[in-house]
Amino acid sequence: MKATAIACLIITGIGATVIANSAPAHAASFSTCTTSQFNIADNVTGTSSCQISNDFNQDFLNTNPSTVNQAGFFDLTNWEFGGKIGENSGYGGTGSGQSGTWDISSVVQNSWNNVMLVFKSGQGTNLVGYKVTDGITSGSWISPFEQAAFNFNSNGSRNVSHVSVYYTKGAKPPVTSVPEPGTIVALSLYGGSILVSRRRKNQTVG
């Protein structure tokens, strides 16, 4: 009986840990950056992931939470605005037009866990976010606002209005490993053997 209770406590503890580390839920949706018709995932070098927001075409900063946190880019809702590329923000590079560069080497901090570049264009396009690869601080880009990706009625690509930099701070959460079922059984048996041993000892003493 008690051994079963111990096993239940172990399983309950694991369940609580998994739930606590699950990704935050958000209402926004995203489109893929790669299909059989287009591929804008590699338009920005030095990045590992790309998402097109289906809900937001403006990166307004005067709301709480900010647009990128409402959207939940890359399943994160704690993005902080760092500034715009090439606009007296300390970031190097060019942040508008058909192509340019980005450079965060002079401002990046050890406390930054994630960095994201958000590209904005004009009407008929939504925000495109690129998650920067860990350890990379500079790269180049070409406009992700291609006709095939956004289905607007024009040839070629639209200009980028600006590129914004976002980051998250704080210690990275530890990776919680879930024990194999065999480990749980072993722990339960171990707890049961302790109880049996105590009962025999008590019987001997009496």
Side-chain angles (χ1 to χ4, degrees):
M1 184 76 70
K2 290 183 179 179
T4 304
I6 292 171
C8 290
L9 285 172
I10 293 170
I11 293 170
T12 302
I14 292 169
T17 301
V18 172
I19 292 171
N21 286 287
S22 60
H26 54 80
S29 62
F30 297 91
S31 294
T32 179
C33 294
T34 305
T35 70
S36 58
Q37 284 76 40
F38 63 87
N39 179 11
I40 62 171
D42 57 359
N43 284 30
V44 184
T45 65
T47 60
S48 57
S49 304
C50 171
Q51 289 185 331
I52 304 171
S53 169
N54 292 331
D55 303 278
F56 298 99
N57 58 14
Q58 299 284 342
D59 56 339
F60 291 120
L61 302 172
N62 59 347
T63 57
N64 188 17
S66 64
T67 298
V68 297
N69 287 326
Q70 291 180 60
F73 271 94
F74 305 109
D75 287 326
L76 296 171
T77 56
N78 60 330
W79 294 107
E80 297 184 28
F81 177 67
K84 296 179 181 179
I85 297 290
E87 289 192 5
N88 300 320
S89 59
Y91 301 106
T94 52
S96 62
Q98 283 287 312
S99 62
T101 59
W102 63 273
D103 189 339
I104 62 173
S105 59
S106 61
V107 292
V108 67
Q109 300 177 26
N110 291 332
S111 61
W112 292 9
N113 286 338
N114 303 281
V115 179
M116 173 174 64
L117 306 177
V118 173
F119 286 71
K120 180 192 177 300
S121 184
Q123 187 176 4
T125 63
N126 284 357
L127 300 178
V128 183
Y130 289 86
K131 192 174 182 182
V132 174
T133 304
D134 287 347
I136 303 299
T137 58
S138 63
S140 60
W141 59 265
I142 59 175
S143 174
F145 301 106
E146 300 175 3
Q147 190 277 334
F150 291 89
N151 298 316
F152 47 76
N153 296 321
S154 63
N155 295 323
S157 301
R158 289 190 177 178
N159 284 343
V160 170
S161 168
H162 61 263
V163 182
S164 297
V165 179
Y166 291 84
Y167 59 88
T168 66
K169 295 176 69 175
K172 292 186 178 181
V175 177
T176 303
S177 59
V178 178
E180 295 293 329
T183 305
I184 297 172
V185 172
L187 288 171
S188 301
L189 293 175
Y190 177 72
S193 66
I194 291 174
L195 293 174
V196 171
S197 175
R198 285 180 178 174
R199 284 178 181 172
R200 286 179 180 171
K201 184 176 180 181
N202 290 337
Q203 289 173 356
T204 303
V205 172

